[in-house]
Amino acid sequence: MNALNTIDDTICALATAPGGALGIIRVSGPKAFAIVSSLCSVCCDIVAANTVHYTRIQDGSEIVDECMVSVFRAPHSYTGEDSVEISCHGSHYILNKVLSLLIENGCRQAAPGEFTQRAYLNGKMDLSQAEAVADLIASTNRATHRMAMSQLRGGISSELAVMREKLLKLTSLLELELDFSDHEDLEFADRSELLHLAQQIDSHITRLANTFQTGNALKNGIPVAIVGAPNVGKSTLLNALLGEERAIVSNIQGTTRDAIEDTIQLGGITFRFIDTAGIRHTDDQIESLGIERSKAALQRARIILLMTEPGIPYPVIETRSDQTVIRIENKTPAFQAKYGVGLEALKQQLIAAAPKTSDTDIIITNARHYDALVRAKQSLHRVIEGLEMQMSGDLLSEDLRQVLDILAEITGGQITPHEVLGNIFKHFCVGK
Ligand SMILES: Nc1nc2c(ncn2[C@@H]2O[C@H](COP(=O)(O)OP(=O)(O)OP(=O)(O)O)[C@@H](O)[C@H]2O)c(=O)[nH]1
Ligand SMILES: [Mg+2]
């Protein structure tokens, strides 16, 4: 079903996961009140807005369930339309029966994300907030919950509004310049102010775009590579951290050949551990491939656990400034991966090395937003170059308009193509 149908029909869906004690069915659209009222004793049109009522859902003489009906009158509902939420007992039979009754009486089964899409189309939230709803539902730890909550509360939207203000100021200054372009002596009078403003916006966009790396790491797990010579105990450490026998451990050098990944949560943050093949010179083709993967894991990692054991020097690796290296000498009284000695202290070190975010930080977690920021930056760079090259204002305002349009894509302020909307909302669950 196309999630982009018109919004003059009435949709319904189960909003809760099946199998619980209760199941909530959502109904939204112009006929929501009439349809629900025809199945129970609540006159949705008449009752006070935003009230809850105890009633029975009936199919002719069959009492299907005793339930609670919450009535939300437009525009004070999640979707902005007349909406009803029916809290039933969570039986498959009851929920399917109520859904079929709703459909028989004129509702349409909602597509994934269609309630939130309506909320967006009815101006209850912008596009970045709508996306935050999906992130909030998917959040599994404190960090992702916090980022989704901040985005839902309009964090990104207000950041973009500030940028937009500055861009509009730049546009109006350029237009002013154009207005006076007949006056030879006035033309290009003071472009340094324009340039300064453009550079300010550029660093603002850059700052925001750069948070994506952190946002992505926090969302998918901070990549931690376990690296070292063969046999020092890398796989043993992975297993100890995960609390399960995930990787094969043996006293044979070169046991691990493929990179093994798994995530755990420490201190409300998800870490993605990557156990790798021990780095050494080898003629074994498969082991060589594994070592290549170790090197790739090293590139991706934010944190590197560089492991060794007594008598073996730490391997020499190249690291970047954004990577934290934690050195571990295994098989010593202070650290024994096999017996969990020193593991707690290591976990604390990992938590301390994770990127810090505060409630007020605006962090980009969505690839669509990141992509828009990168494109906006490219257009803005053309404006900056143009200003530096004393290009005429009318050429610059074209690029400037593009920056504004691209940034507006993030919040959906600009008319968003249907395919883009469809793509965003199809990743939602049904009922949201
Ligand atoms: N005594 C002691 N032995 C350990 C410790 N950690 C690992 N070992 C042993 O060291 C050997 C190698 O362990 P692995 O975890 O397979 O080492 P690895 O670094 O993954 O080795 P490769 O995959 O071959 O690179 C095994 O026999 C482990 O039992 C430890 O803390 N103390
Ligand atoms: Mg191993």
Side-chain angles (χ1 to χ4, degrees):
M1 192 168 293
N2 182 1
L4 295 156
N5 281 335
T6 58
I7 54 175
D8 30 278
D9 52 357
T10 299
I11 52 172
C12 68
L14 180 64
T16 47
L22 294 179
I24 299 177
I25 291 171
R26 263 190 161 162
V27 187
S28 184
K31 288 203 280 181
F33 289 173
I35 295 171
V36 174
S37 297
S38 71
L39 302 178
C40 64
S41 59
V42 182
C43 293
C44 299
D45 269 321
I46 293 165
V47 297
N50 310 335
T51 49
V52 187
H53 306 269
Y54 171 76
T55 187
R56 288 170 176 171
I57 298 277
Q58 280 191 241
D59 179 16
S61 60
E62 183 194 359
I63 298 171
V64 180
D65 197 13
E66 299 194 339
C67 49
M68 304 300 289
V69 168
S70 311
V71 179
F72 305 95
R73 186 159 295 130
H76 303 292
S77 68
Y78 180 75
T79 55
E81 305 171 324
D82 284 346
S83 306
V84 182
E85 283 177 17
I86 311 171
S87 303
C88 309
H89 291 102
S91 119
H92 280 289
Y93 173 76
I94 293 175
L95 296 170
N96 283 335
K97 181 82 190 178
V98 175
L99 280 170
S100 0
L101 285 170
L102 289 167
I103 289 164
E104 279 163 29
N105 284 278
C107 277
R108 167 170 69 72
Q109 166 69 43
E114 201 170 359
F115 291 90
T116 306
Q117 187 178 14
R118 287 186 173 198
Y120 161 65
L121 293 172
N122 289 322
K124 298 293 285 188
M125 53 177 81
D126 69 33
L127 210 46
S128 79
Q129 290 173 306
E131 289 168 311
V133 172
D135 288 345
L136 191 66
I137 294 169
S139 69
T140 50
N141 58 44
R142 199 170 62 210
T144 46
H145 170 260
R146 183 191 270 182
M147 292 188 295
M149 209 56 188
S150 143
Q151 190 176 325
L152 181 63
R153 298 181 64 196
I156 291 175
S157 321
S158 49
E159 195 82 1
L160 290 170
V162 174
M163 268 184 219
R164 193 176 163 76
E165 274 301 301
K166 290 186 188 161
L167 281 161
L168 288 173
K169 185 171 174 203
L170 189 57
T171 312
S172 57
L173 286 174
L174 262 179
E175 267 159 22
L176 201 68
E177 187 193 87
L178 278 173
D179 288 346
F180 288 100
S181 58
D182 294 344
H183 304 252
E184 285 279 314
D185 48 335
L186 275 174
E187 197 181 0
F188 309 139
D190 190 12
R191 279 207 158 177
S192 63
E193 191 190 345
L194 272 65
L195 189 60
H196 179 67
L197 194 55
Q199 280 161 344
Q200 238 185 13
I201 304 165
D202 182 42
S203 59
H204 196 169
I205 299 181
T206 306
R207 228 182 314 127
L208 200 57
N210 284 349
T211 64
F212 181 60
Q213 222 200 351
T214 300
N216 204 32
L218 289 171
K219 202 166 171 177
N220 298 315
I222 297 160
V224 184
I226 310 175
V227 180
N231 242 2
V232 296
K234 299 179 296 299
S235 300
T236 307
L237 178 61
L238 176 82
N239 292 344
L241 284 164
L242 298 176
E244 62 173 297
E245 299 304 302
R246 181 75 174 73
I248 298 171
V249 166
S250 86
N251 58 4
I252 301 163
Q253 297 205 344
T255 304
T256 306
R257 292 173 163 223
D258 220 346
I260 299 173
E261 289 194 29
D262 218 330
T263 60
I264 53 162
Q265 292 207 29
L266 301 171
I269 304 161
T270 305
F271 290 87
R272 175 175 298 278
F273 289 99
I274 310 148
D275 176 25
T276 64
I279 297 175
R280 64 164 173 176
H281 289 290
T282 176
D283 292 330
D284 184 311
Q285 258 191 7
I286 295 172
E287 195 182 350
S288 300
L289 287 175
I291 293 171
E292 283 310 309
R293 289 191 178 188
S294 302
K295 290 179 180 163
L298 208 61
Q299 285 288 318
R300 277 191 288 139
R302 287 283 286 240
I303 302 173
I304 296 160
L305 300 184
L306 199 58
M307 261 187 116
T308 193
E309 62 177 49
I312 299 178
Y314 281 104
V316 180
I317 54 162
E318 275 178 32
T319 55
R320 296 186 310 265
S321 61
D322 65 330
Q323 294 176 314
T324 304
V325 178
I326 300 176
R327 288 168 175 259
I328 300 167
E329 191 178 19
N330 193 26
K331 309 186 190 180
T332 63
F335 199 95
Q336 296 259 5
K338 192 169 174 177
Y339 307 107
V341 177
L343 207 60
E344 206 38 55
L346 174 62
K347 287 180 181 173
Q348 293 310 319
Q349 270 182 292
L350 284 164
I351 295 167
K356 299 280 164 305
T357 61
S358 79
D359 283 344
T360 49
D361 283 348
I362 305 299
I363 295 167
I364 299 295
T365 58
N366 186 306
R368 190 183 73 84
H369 303 173
Y370 176 68
D371 173 72
L373 289 171
V374 170
R375 282 184 293 121
K377 236 168 85 95
Q378 287 164 349
S379 295
L380 187 60
H381 283 179
R382 282 198 295 276
V383 176
I384 292 174
E385 275 166 31
L387 282 169
E388 283 167 349
M389 289 162 59
Q390 302 292 341
M391 250 154 78
S392 88
D394 43 355
L395 291 173
L396 298 176
S397 46
E398 175 71 13
D399 281 322
L400 208 49
R401 160 90 3 227
Q402 230 174 52
V403 181
L404 277 161
D405 286 353
I406 296 169
L407 290 180
E409 284 174 20
I410 297 177
T411 49
Q414 199 68 7
I415 293 160
T416 311
H418 269 201
E419 316 88 82
V420 176
L421 279 189
N423 198 32
I424 291 169
F425 288 102
K426 78 171 182 222
H427 299 297
F428 276 65
C429 37
V430 174
K432 197 61 215 180

